[in-house]
Amino acid sequence: DRADAVFLFCTGGNRHYVFQDDARTRAIQAAADRGAGLMFFHYCVEPPAERGRKEMLDWIGGYFETHYSVNPHWTADFKTLPAHPITRGVAPFALLDEWYYNMRFPPRGHAAHGTAILSAVPGPETLTRPDGPHSGNPDVRAKAGQPHAVMWAHERAHGGRGVGFTGGHFHTNFGDANFRTLVLNALLWIAKVEVPPGGVKVNVTPDELKERLDPKPPRAPRQSPAL
């Protein structure tokens, strides 16, 4: 109720934590209404098809839309970065992740259109899967070879800031200094705290990255089709 910023990292789609419960949706809306910053991370940027899209546009300025956006694993090469507080202390870098792209944004020129923080050109290998709710569609194929924003910053008209970050599938990517600094800078920015000129610098060791990982149950082996 009093947070200056809220960071959300949860399951999306039809099991989205925020939109499964009306009380949670109202709580995030109340936070946005009083100017709290919001950052939606990875799967969290995908609201259910039947609700949440309007809210997401208002809260963070964009979202993953099924049968429009896609979620391949690919190495995004961020050759240039815009001048923005979130990019302070961050150098161009390339990193393998499940970078969602072809996100749904307001049209260019719209007052709510945000700032692309990370943009890259997805390779043709990202479009080899058949069409589906997350894998491909005619719209994204028509944009082959074009750059796409995979992280963006948004300033709400009635106050408050939002950030969408589509990467984050691999926990070990927090071991990358540029990736980590972007996330930490974004947290300060949405809280309206001045980002240091060199960005937020925190050293993390491989052992520290493993400290709070829950054990994962083994995946069940795939069953051969019955003959």
Side-chain angles (χ1 to χ4, degrees):
D1 292 338
R2 294 181 296 170
D4 294 309
V6 182
F7 176 89
L8 297 114
F9 185 12
C10 64
T11 297
N14 291 329
R15 295 181 296 152
H16 200 293
Y17 181 82
V18 172
F19 300 108
Q20 268 194 329
D21 185 295
D22 288 342
R24 295 176 192 153
T25 308
R26 289 195 300 268
I28 297 299
Q29 184 63 63
D33 289 344
R34 61 180 172 76
L38 301 173
M39 182 169 177
F40 281 56
F41 190 80
H42 198 49
Y43 197 7
C44 193
V45 301
E46 183 189 331
E50 65 279 0
R51 62 177 301 189
R53 291 177 174 178
K54 179 180 181 295
E55 289 89 346
M56 294 280 282
L57 276 181
D58 175 62
W59 294 344
I60 65 168
Y63 61 87
F64 183 107
E65 182 177 314
T66 51
H67 297 284
Y68 178 80
S69 309
V70 291
N71 67 345
H73 290 205
W74 54 293
T75 299
D77 188 1
F78 305 113
K79 298 179 184 295
T80 61
L81 299 168
H84 192 279
I86 292 176
T87 64
R88 290 175 185 170
V90 181
F93 68 104
L95 198 63
L96 172 66
D97 207 323
E98 186 182 40
W99 299 107
Y100 306 159
Y101 72 91
N102 205 37
M103 306 299 287
R104 180 65 76 180
F105 298 118
R108 290 196 177 277
H110 191 282
H113 198 278
T115 300
I117 300 297
L118 288 179
S119 297
V121 177
E125 74 281 0
T126 67
L127 295 172
T128 58
R129 297 179 296 171
D131 288 355
H134 297 85
S135 53
N137 57 76
D139 184 273
V140 74
R141 295 183 195 285
K143 298 173 182 172
Q146 297 180 20
H148 287 266
V150 299
M151 179 187 186
W152 64 94
H154 169 67
E155 298 199 50
R156 297 192 291 275
H158 53 278
R161 296 171 173 177
V163 166
F165 190 101
T166 73
H169 184 81
F170 300 118
H171 177 69
T172 52
N173 278 351
F174 279 106
D176 182 276
N178 288 306
F179 182 101
R180 187 170 64 251
T181 299
L182 278 168
V183 174
L184 295 173
N185 286 354
L187 291 176
L188 290 190
W189 185 77
I190 63 171
K192 299 181 180 177
V193 175
E194 183 66 19
V195 180
V200 181
K201 299 300 183 183
V202 177
N203 294 321
V204 178
T205 68
D207 286 340
E208 287 172 329
L209 282 175
K210 298 175 184 176
E211 280 181 0
R212 298 184 183 276
L213 289 182
D214 296 327
K216 300 294 188 293
R219 289 188 176 185
R222 290 187 177 182
Q223 299 295 321
S224 298
L227 300 177

